[in-house]
Amino acid sequence: MLTRHTVRLALLSTTLLVSSPVWAQAAADEEDTGEIIVTAQKREESLQKVPMSIQAIGTEKLDQLQVKELGDFVKFLPSVTVQTAGPGFSQVYFRGVASGENANHSASLPTVGTYLDEMPITTIQGALDIHAFDLARVEALAGPQGTLYGASSMAGTIKMVTNKPDTSGFYGEVGAELNSVAHGGVGGVLEAFINAPLSDNIAVRAVGWYRKDAGYIDNIAGSRTYATSGVTHNNAAFVEKDYNDAETIGGRIALGIDLNEDWTLRPTLMGQVQTVHGSFSQERGLHVTRKLTTTQYNREYSKDKWIQAALTVEGKIGNWDLTTTGGYLVRKDRTESDYSDYSFFYDALAGYGAYFYDNGGAYVSPNQYIQGGDSYKKYFGEMRVASPQDSSLRFIGGVFIQRQAHNITQNYIIDNIADAITVPGTASDIWLTKQLRVDRDMAAFGELAFDVTDKLTLTGGLRVYKYKNSLQGFFGYSSGYSGKTGVAACLNTDGTTFKANPAGTPAPILVAGSPCTNVNKTTSDSDFIHKLNATYKITDDALVYATWSRGFRPGGINRRGTLPPYGADQLDNFEFGWKSSWGRLRWNGAIFQENWDNIQLSFLGANGLTEIRNAGKARIRGIETDISYRTGGFSLSAGASYNDAQIRRDFCKIANATFDCTTAGNALLAPAGARLPVTSKVKGNAIARYEFPLGGMDGHVQLAVNHNGKRTSDLRTAEQAIKGSLKAYTTADLSFGIEKGNWTAELFATNLFNTSGVVNTGVQCVETVCGTGVTASTPTGGVFYDSIIRPRLIGLKLGTKF
C-alpha cells in the first residue's frame, strides 16, 4: 500500500525527470583508467603506490553497489565489521579489534576513527550515519593510523571524501528511486546536485537528498502481569505493522575559491536530520512466534540532527604545501525506548514492583521507559606542511587539537510514582543521568620518508600526544529510593556525601538540570606513538612493504566512585604487504599480527552501570587480500579477510598485574584463548559486472555476493553461553540497467534470497537467571533482541545528468 510520503516522492520524481532538459555536459566523466587516487597519507597518491592496506570505493562504484549508508559499503570492505542497533547508532571495527564495547555514553571511545573530508566526526555513541551521495570515494585504512590521524584511529580509519566544487563548467545530476522491502512497506530516494562556476576562480556545489526507508518489523500485541502488584499492562497503543521506518533528509553546500595559482579556500556546510520509528531488532522470547516481530510496551523513537561547518585552506610557501583546516560539529539526538523488560523480570525474580507506589501508598505499574537526549559539540583544528613529493627526502608534519563535549540526559521513567522516590527536579524519574563529558586531545606529528635507492624507501613517523578527559554531573536515584547510588552519593563541599553528612553544604551543581553533583572526575596523560616502514619497488607496477605501527585510544572516567579512571590502551601492528598490477589484473594483500595491550574491557556492573578496566592482552593474526580483473565490458573483483583474534591472558573480574583470577573476591570471566567478539574469522565479497551494447543503448548486469562468517557475541564465557554465537550468512545483490545519453535506469535487488543475517544481539534480563529461558510459566529469564540485516529490497532507479 502506498503511503502519503511515497505518493509525494513519486510525483516529485516524475516531474523532475520529465521536465529536466538534457544539457551538454560541461565536465566529461573521468576516463576509467583503473587508477584510484586516495589521500590516506594526507597527500594525493595512487592507491597502488601507498604502502599500506587500504581499500577505496569511488563515486561510480558506490552507486553501482546500491550504497546508501555506512552498513552498505562495509559489506564490501573485508577488514571492516559494523555492529548496529539501528540507524545512527553503529560501531565500526577493523581486523577484529573489539572487546564487546557497549557504546554507553560514559564508556570508551571507539577504536576506529571516522573522517568527513579533513574533519574527524567520531562521536562516543557511534559514527554519523551519512547518506552516501556525491561522495568522491570512501577509503578504509586498516591497522593503526595514529601517526597521521591520532586518537581513536587505533585499529583503522574510515574516510568519506566529498566531491569538490569545480570551476570547469556547470553540470549536475538528479536521481530518484522507488523500492519495496520484503515483509514490509514501500520506500524511496530523491537526490540531486549541481556544480556551478560563479566566476573564473569561484565555484559552488550544492547537494540535497531525501530517503524513506520502509519498515519490516511488526510490533505485535502482548500483555504482562507484574507478579508483586498484580498490575497488568498491555501494548495495545503501540501495536503496528512495519513499524521500524526511517526518514532522512540532508544537504551540503561547498564553495571553492582559488585566490591565485597557489592558494585555495574551501568552506563547506553540511547537515542531516534522521527520524526513526520503532526497533530494528527481532525478538527471541515470550510472545514471539515468528521472525521480524517484537513486542514493545512503550514508544521507540529517535531523531538525530547534526550540522557540520568546515574550512580548508591550501597553499604553498615556496615549494612546500601548507594545509590549514578546522571544523565545528553540532549533533543532537532525542530518543525514546522501552525499558519494561528490566522491570518485568526483576519483579518476577525479586519483587521489584513492591518498591513502586504513588503518594497514597498504592502500587503503580512498574512499566519503565527511557527518554534520552544527547548533545555533542565538537571542534578541531590542524595545520600541516608537506615537502615536495618529487624529492628523495620527504616530510609531512603538523599540529592538531580537538575538543568534544557531550551533554547527556537519560530519564528512566515510571509514571505516577510517589514524590519520595522520584529524582528531585523531575516529573516521574526513578533514575536520572545528567552528565557532561568532555574529551580533549592535542598532538604534534610528523613522518619522514627517504629514498635510499630508486627502489627502496624508508619511512619513520612519530606522534606526541596529550589528552585530558572529564566527567561531571549526576546519575542515580532519589535518596528515598536508594541509600547508595544517586542523591545519597552527592558530594558536599567538605568531601563527604549526603548520606554520611545530610546537614553538610552541597557541592555546586556543575551540570544544569542535575539535583546535585555526585561525579566530578578528570584524567589525563601524555605519551608518543610511532610508525616505521620499509617499501621496495620490484617494478613500476609492483611493490612490497613491511610496517611496524602503533595506535592508541585515550583513557577515561569510571563514573562509579569506587573505581579509578582507566588508562589508554594501545595496538602494535606488524604487517607485510604487497601491491601489484599485471595489465588488466590487480592484486593487493597484507599479512599481519596485531598485539593489543592494556585493553579497555567494559561490562555492566551493579545497577547496570558500565565499568571499564585495563585488564587484558590480545593477539590478532590475519591476512587480507583483494583482486580485480577487467577486459572489455567485463570486470570481476573480489576481497577476503581472515582474522584469528583472541585474548592472551585470563580476563578477571578484578584486574591485577599477574592476571590471577583466584584471588579473594575475584572470578574468571574469560580464559586465555577466548575469541574476541563481533568479528568473524572469515569475511569476503565478489562482484561481477558486464557492460554491453543494447539496441542503441548501453546496458549492464551486475552480481555482488557477500559472506560474513560465524561470530561470538560476547568475550565473557557466561554471557556468550547465554546470548549464543551469531551465525554465518551470505547475501547476493543483483542489478540490471541501461544508459542512453545522459539518462539512466536500473532495476535492482539487494539481499536477493532474503537472508536473515544477524549483526548484533542483546538481552534485557536478570543476570543471575538470564540463561533459564523465557516461558509463560517461568518468566524470569530475559528477552533477546537480534539486530538483523534488511530483508530483500527490490527497487527501480531513474536518473539524468545535465
Side-chain angles (χ1 to χ4, degrees):
M1 178 176 164
L2 293 178
T3 65
R4 181 176 70 256
H5 295 290
T6 306
V7 172
R8 187 192 313 151
L9 175 64
L11 289 173
L12 183 56
S13 304
T14 304
T15 303
L16 282 166
L17 289 168
V18 170
S19 63
S20 295
V22 180
W23 299 97
Q25 192 170 330
D29 292 336
E30 242 179 73
E31 184 180 354
D32 183 12
T33 62
E35 185 177 42
I36 302 174
I37 302 299
V38 296
T39 53
Q41 298 188 119
K42 300 202 172 184
R43 302 173 183 258
E44 289 194 347
E45 301 171 281
S46 169
L47 181 145
Q48 290 301 100
K49 305 298 183 184
V50 179
M52 69 168 61
S53 181
I54 174 174
Q55 290 181 302
I57 306 175
T59 304
E60 192 173 333
K61 201 71 173 178
L62 289 168
D63 184 58
Q64 293 171 0
L65 295 173
Q66 320 305 332
V67 171
K68 299 181 179 68
E69 59 188 3
L70 180 66
D72 293 335
F73 61 72
V74 166
K75 291 195 306 183
F76 301 99
L77 302 173
S79 60
V80 186
T81 300
V82 65
Q83 189 178 42
T84 182
F89 298 93
S90 298
Q91 295 291 323
V92 183
Y93 304 97
F94 269 88
R95 291 180 171 177
V97 181
S99 60
E101 296 90 342
N102 59 16
N104 181 273
H105 45 68
S106 300
S108 300
L109 288 163
T111 61
V112 172
T114 309
Y115 278 69
L116 178 61
D117 291 323
E118 294 279 354
M119 182 171 183
I121 56 171
T122 312
T123 59
I124 297 157
Q125 287 183 259
L128 295 183
D129 198 357
I130 299 174
H131 179 73
F133 176 63
D134 197 45
L135 295 179
R137 63 190 174 275
V138 175
E139 300 177 15
L141 287 58
Q145 305 297 323
T147 305
L148 292 180
Y149 292 93
S152 288
S153 284
M154 181 177 77
T157 301
I158 296 284
K159 291 188 66 176
M160 290 172 279
V161 182
T162 61
N163 284 310
K164 303 300 184 288
D166 176 12
T167 58
S168 67
F170 177 85
Y171 57 92
E173 180 180 344
V174 176
E177 175 186 315
L178 199 62
N179 59 54
S180 176
V181 63
H183 312 290
V186 175
V189 180
L190 182 63
E191 50 196 17
F193 83 84
I194 59 168
N195 183 92
L198 303 180
S199 68
D200 290 342
N201 64 322
I202 302 176
V204 62
R205 195 176 190 100
V207 186
W209 57 86
Y210 169 83
R211 187 174 93 230
K212 175 65 182 289
D213 295 316
Y216 48 84
I217 290 178
D218 300 338
N219 193 26
I220 63 176
S223 66
R224 285 172 166 167
T225 299
Y226 289 88
T228 301
S229 63
V231 172
T232 297
H233 182 74
N234 66 58
N235 70 339
F238 304 102
V239 172
E240 184 179 351
K241 183 177 175 58
D242 306 331
Y243 91 130
N244 63 320
D245 61 272
E247 191 173 55
T248 305
I249 186 168
R252 182 179 84 248
I253 186 164
L255 277 174
I257 305 171
D258 297 329
L259 300 178
N260 53 42
E261 291 183 356
D262 293 334
W263 289 89
T264 300
L265 304 181
R266 286 202 307 272
T268 303
L269 186 66
M270 185 174 182
Q272 181 175 280
V273 179
Q274 188 172 63
T275 305
V276 178
H277 300 95
S279 165
F280 283 72
S281 300
Q282 63 185 18
E283 189 174 320
R284 287 186 282 136
L286 192 63
H287 302 306
V288 175
T289 57
R290 58 191 176 92
K291 294 181 178 180
L292 302 178
T293 63
T294 188
T295 306
Q296 300 297 296
Y297 290 83
N298 297 282
R299 189 185 188 209
E300 297 269 344
Y301 166 86
S302 69
K303 189 168 189 176
D304 186 15
K305 302 187 295 184
W306 58 267
I307 188 166
Q308 179 232 21
L311 173 65
T312 298
V313 180
E314 295 178 323
K316 284 186 175 295
I317 299 178
N319 61 352
W320 284 56
D321 295 324
L322 172 68
T323 302
T324 302
T325 183
Y328 187 69
L329 171 70
V330 176
R331 182 184 188 185
K332 295 183 178 180
D333 62 56
R334 298 292 177 264
T335 59
E336 295 184 36
S337 53
D338 187 4
Y339 203 57
S340 61
D341 293 340
Y342 181 89
S343 298
F344 180 68
F345 292 115
Y346 262 102
D347 184 50
L349 176 71
Y352 184 68
Y355 301 106
F356 304 126
Y357 48 87
D358 61 20
N359 285 327
Y363 284 136
V364 299
S365 171
N367 174 60
Q368 190 171 171
Y369 57 96
I370 304 171
Q371 291 182 345
D374 293 276
S375 177
Y376 306 85
K377 293 182 180 180
K378 181 171 190 168
Y379 70 76
F380 96 106
E382 179 174 302
M383 179 181 291
R384 64 180 185 268
V385 295
S387 63
Q389 285 186 263
D390 56 1
S391 172
S392 61
L393 182 65
R394 298 175 298 280
F395 174 78
I396 182 169
V399 292
F400 172 89
I401 188 170
Q402 176 179 254
R403 184 184 190 274
Q404 175 175 292
H406 180 188
N407 196 309
I408 306 157
T409 304
Q410 298 284 312
N411 299 283
Y412 290 72
I413 301 170
I414 297 177
D415 290 329
N416 305 315
I417 57 175
D419 295 342
I421 60 174
T422 298
V423 177
T426 69
S428 200
D429 282 20
I430 190 65
W431 174 287
L432 170 68
T433 299
K434 185 62 181 174
Q435 298 173 164
L436 178 64
R437 172 177 178 165
V438 181
D439 295 90
R440 316 162 184 86
D441 60 274
M442 59 185 68
F445 62 91
E447 283 192 0
L448 188 66
F450 177 60
D451 296 332
V452 180
T453 70
D454 59 352
K455 291 183 176 294
L456 177 64
T457 300
L458 301 179
T459 301
L462 190 71
R463 188 179 189 97
V464 180
Y465 66 85
K466 178 180 176 62
Y467 68 81
K468 181 181 179 182
N469 299 332
S470 61
L471 185 67
Q472 303 175 329
F474 174 86
F475 65 95
Y477 303 105
S478 72
S479 59
Y481 185 81
S482 172
K484 294 181 179 180
T485 304
V487 172
C490 279
L491 302 170
N492 294 321
T493 54
D494 61 0
T496 61
T497 63
F498 174 80
K499 179 182 178 181
N501 183 15
T505 303
I509 292 176
L510 301 177
V511 180
S514 302
C516 50
T517 298
N518 60 12
V519 59
N520 183 16
K521 296 182 177 182
T522 300
T523 186
S524 62
D525 198 4
S526 58
D527 207 337
F528 70 91
I529 54 175
H530 67 269
K531 173 184 175 182
L532 298 173
N533 172 274
T535 302
Y536 185 78
K537 298 176 184 177
I538 301 171
T539 68
D540 288 342
D541 298 316
L543 63 82
V544 293
Y545 66 88
T547 297
W548 174 22
S549 59
R550 176 173 292 174
F552 80 102
R553 177 171 52 167
I557 299 298
N558 272 302
R559 55 178 171 162
R560 188 183 297 281
T562 56
L563 295 177
Y566 54 92
D569 51 359
Q570 66 182 36
L571 188 73
D572 280 293
N573 175 56
F574 304 92
E575 179 176 323
F576 172 79
W578 63 93
K579 301 284 183 76
S580 62
S581 299
W582 312 83
R584 298 188 178 105
L585 179 68
R586 188 187 72 192
W587 180 40
N588 300 334
I591 302 169
F592 59 87
Q593 175 172 312
E594 295 184 335
N595 297 330
W596 189 6
D597 290 327
N598 219 27
I599 301 174
Q600 295 173 12
L601 289 167
S602 63
F603 55 93
L604 295 181
N607 302 121
L609 288 181
T610 297
E611 298 183 6
I612 305 167
R613 296 176 179 145
N614 297 101
K617 293 177 177 288
R619 184 194 67 201
I620 302 105
R621 288 175 173 168
I623 182 171
E624 52 204 17
T625 185
D626 64 90
I627 189 168
S628 62
Y629 175 77
R630 184 179 185 94
T631 179
F634 176 74
S635 61
L636 177 66
S637 61
S641 67
Y642 172 83
N643 290 287
D644 181 15
Q646 55 183 261
I647 60 171
R648 304 299 293 165
R649 296 289 189 273
D650 290 345
F651 172 30
C652 305
K653 182 178 180 180
I654 302 174
N656 56 64
T658 60
F659 300 94
D660 181 3
C661 302
T662 64
T663 55
N666 215 335
L668 176 66
L669 300 183
R675 277 183 62 184
L676 293 178
V678 179
T679 300
S680 62
K681 281 191 173 182
V682 177
K683 184 186 178 191
N685 67 80
I687 306 164
R689 182 179 178 89
Y690 182 57
E691 299 174 349
F692 52 91
L694 182 66
M697 299 179 291
D698 296 321
H700 70 261
V701 61
Q702 178 175 284
L703 175 67
V705 178
N706 299 272
H707 175 77
N708 202 359
K710 181 179 178 181
R711 293 137 289 146
T712 57
S713 59
D714 203 291
L715 174 63
R716 297 162 295 169
T717 304
E719 283 71 12
Q720 167 62 23
I722 292 166
K723 294 191 289 185
S725 294
L726 308 180
K727 295 180 179 179
Y729 63 89
T730 302
T731 63
D733 303 340
L734 182 66
S735 61
F736 169 78
I738 55 174
E739 180 176 353
K740 184 175 179 60
N742 292 326
W743 294 86
T744 59
E746 186 175 55
L747 181 67
F748 70 91
T750 59
N751 194 6
L752 181 64
F753 301 108
N754 208 26
T755 301
S756 297
V758 177
V759 297
N760 191 17
T761 190
V763 59
Q764 284 192 16
C765 64
V766 182
E767 291 88 344
T768 55
V769 293
C770 192
T772 63
V774 184
T775 67
S777 59
T778 59
T780 55
V783 177
F784 297 82
Y785 295 95
D786 294 334
S787 300
I788 62 170
I789 62 174
R790 184 181 287 111
R792 179 177 53 244
L793 185 79
I794 297 176
L796 174 65
K797 296 197 302 186
L798 301 172
T800 183
K801 297 177 180 179
F802 54 89

